[in-house]
Amino acid sequence: MTETGTTPNLRELNKRRTREAISHAATRLFIEQGFDRTTIAEVAAAAGVAKMTVTNHFPRKEDLFFDLHEELVGRLARAVAERAPGESALAALRRDCLAGIDRHDARLGFSGPAFVRTVFDSPALAARLREVHEQSETALAEALAEAVHERPVGFESRVAAALLAAVDRAVFTEVLRRVLADEAPAAIAAAVRPSAVQAYDRLEGALGGFAVREPGGPAGTENP
């Protein structure tokens, strides 16, 4: 492989390794010392980088802890955009949520008790988590509006997004509650999954035919 082919890859690899090192150091310090009592300078020292390097990778201190925030914000919208032909938005989100529960996905709250306790002990982290869920709902509304050719995003897509995101958020909150109670991941999944299924079932009558992807067609639909 030529040098021009390898240099960008090495650069991206180094950036990713640096980002991961910063995130791991920050998470350890936040859990040990508390989020609010830990400074960016301490994170930089623990990761062996300059303070500016930390802020370049993580402009917001809260995102040092929620390093999956981009995945959290975009997950629901992505599930809708990637739904199978003939599949509704609700069916795609149900499938994504249940698969996440089954594999104990961190994006659904599966983590360690110390991690969850750190969130609950910090008003700043709790506020950032609420903001992430709100951003996720907004992104979902935009994906639904695109699916039903609704521009700008209208009332129907916003209501559908609010209902569908509420199920995912309720699952996330219940998983966190059970993690904090030190329940095992398998036990959490077994307890939460039936509730998620029931919640999606209740929405089926209202949204089961909304944003169904045309067989063989693009992500849009003519069945709003």
Side-chain angles (χ1 to χ4, degrees):
M1 186 177 293
T2 65
E3 183 178 353
T4 56
T6 59
T7 301
N9 291 336
L10 289 173
R11 186 180 300 115
E12 287 303 313
L13 179 60
N14 287 334
K15 282 180 62 177
R16 186 164 63 248
R17 285 174 174 170
T18 299
R19 182 182 175 87
E20 289 174 353
I22 294 170
S23 176
H24 292 160
T27 300
R28 177 177 56 79
L29 287 175
F30 293 154
I31 289 174
E32 290 176 355
Q33 302 179 176
F35 177 81
D36 299 319
R37 291 189 296 274
T38 301
T39 67
I40 298 296
E42 288 175 318
V43 172
V49 299
K51 183 178 177 180
M52 184 175 294
T53 302
V54 175
T55 56
N56 284 341
H57 283 276
F58 300 93
R60 297 181 59 165
K61 181 183 175 184
E62 292 84 357
D63 291 336
L64 280 163
F65 194 74
F66 295 124
D67 59 334
L68 291 177
H69 72 280
E70 292 181 0
E71 285 289 317
L72 289 170
V73 168
R75 184 175 64 85
L76 301 183
R78 189 161 45 252
V80 168
E82 297 175 355
R83 68 198 187 285
E87 188 175 40
S88 69
L90 185 151
L93 291 169
R94 177 204 293 262
R95 176 169 51 80
D96 182 79
C97 179
L98 296 182
I101 292 172
D102 291 343
R103 66 173 176 268
H104 309 158
D105 195 332
R107 296 174 301 175
L108 281 175
F110 286 91
S111 53
F115 185 96
V116 177
R117 193 172 297 110
T118 303
V119 175
F120 287 147
D121 287 345
S122 169
L125 287 179
R128 177 55 175 149
L129 185 56
R130 288 193 298 271
E131 184 180 18
V132 166
H133 283 303
E134 290 167 2
Q135 291 173 339
S136 176
E137 182 180 321
T138 298
L140 176 58
E142 292 170 353
L144 291 173
E146 182 175 347
V148 299
H149 310 299
E150 182 184 53
R151 280 289 179 262
V153 179
F155 185 81
E156 188 174 26
S157 293
R158 294 190 190 282
V159 170
L163 292 171
L164 292 166
V167 177
D168 198 82
R169 187 167 183 170
V171 167
F172 187 95
T173 300
E174 182 63 11
V175 169
L176 288 189
R177 186 185 72 79
R178 291 177 177 274
V179 168
L180 195 59
D182 208 21
E183 295 183 24
I188 295 173
V192 173
R193 198 181 201 280
S195 297
V197 169
Q198 184 179 54
Y200 284 114
D201 285 346
R202 290 184 185 279
L203 292 179
E204 189 68 38
L207 295 173
F210 183 74
V212 177
R213 183 173 181 180
E214 294 175 348
T221 177
E222 295 182 1
N223 182 19

